[in-house]
Amino acid sequence: VLSKLVKRGAGGRMGNGTQKFAHISMSEFIRIIDFLVKTESIEGPVNCTSTLDITNGEFMAELRKKLNKKFYLNSPEWLLTIGGWVIGTEKELILKSRYVFPQKLVDAGFQFDNSLEKI
């Protein structure tokens, strides 16, 4: 979804862009699933996110770089309010920090790549 926004020129920061952003690449997610299948000691829910501490603004800048998009528009809070109303969701889902740490995976010895190149 975010790639589509960037390709259409709306790939700037959302709100002030300082909110923490939990993310993971598809290849890292697949590695985690494989690790979980092979590791019997982990029980219960597991946070499948990167250990990299990044903001929305930093993430969007890296995504624009990867997609080679120099033109972009930021999404101010008022625009996110309208967008949330149109699709029936709350703007806080984007504007509040959602930094989640995968403690169970770290404790179990999973080796994260944490490369922004794989976004």
Side-chain angles (χ1 to χ4, degrees):
V1 173
L2 292 177
S3 294
K4 289 179 183 179
L5 286 174
V6 170
K7 289 175 184 176
R8 293 181 174 127
R13 70 179 183 277
M14 296 174 192
N16 65 17
T18 60
Q19 63 273 33
K20 298 296 181 184
F21 189 78
H23 70 285
I24 189 166
S25 68
M26 185 59 74
S27 60
E28 191 88 301
F29 178 73
I30 291 168
R31 287 183 54 240
I32 288 172
I33 298 303
D34 183 57
F35 181 81
L36 291 171
V37 168
K38 294 175 181 175
T39 307
E40 296 178 10
S41 63
I42 299 178
E43 295 181 9
V46 175
N47 292 323
C48 294
T49 64
S50 170
T51 56
L52 190 61
D53 185 4
I54 190 169
T55 65
N56 169 268
E58 293 166 332
F59 180 86
M60 295 306 289
E62 191 62 35
L63 189 55
R64 288 190 308 270
K65 180 179 165 186
K66 178 180 179 185
L67 296 173
N68 197 28
K69 294 293 182 181
K70 294 180 179 25
F71 174 80
Y72 62 93
L73 297 171
N74 293 321
S75 299
E77 186 174 343
W78 66 265
L79 186 59
L80 296 172
T81 301
I82 293 169
W85 180 78
V86 169
I87 64 171
T89 190
E90 297 293 325
K91 66 183 179 191
E92 283 78 22
L93 293 173
I94 295 172
L95 295 176
K96 291 198 176 187
S97 291
R98 299 282 189 256
Y99 182 64
V100 180
F101 192 79
Q103 191 65 54
K104 285 186 181 180
L105 289 168
V106 170
D107 292 346
F110 182 80
Q111 297 296 309
F112 287 87
D113 182 349
N114 283 340
S115 171
L116 287 178
E117 295 296 317
K118 295 192 175 191
I119 292 176

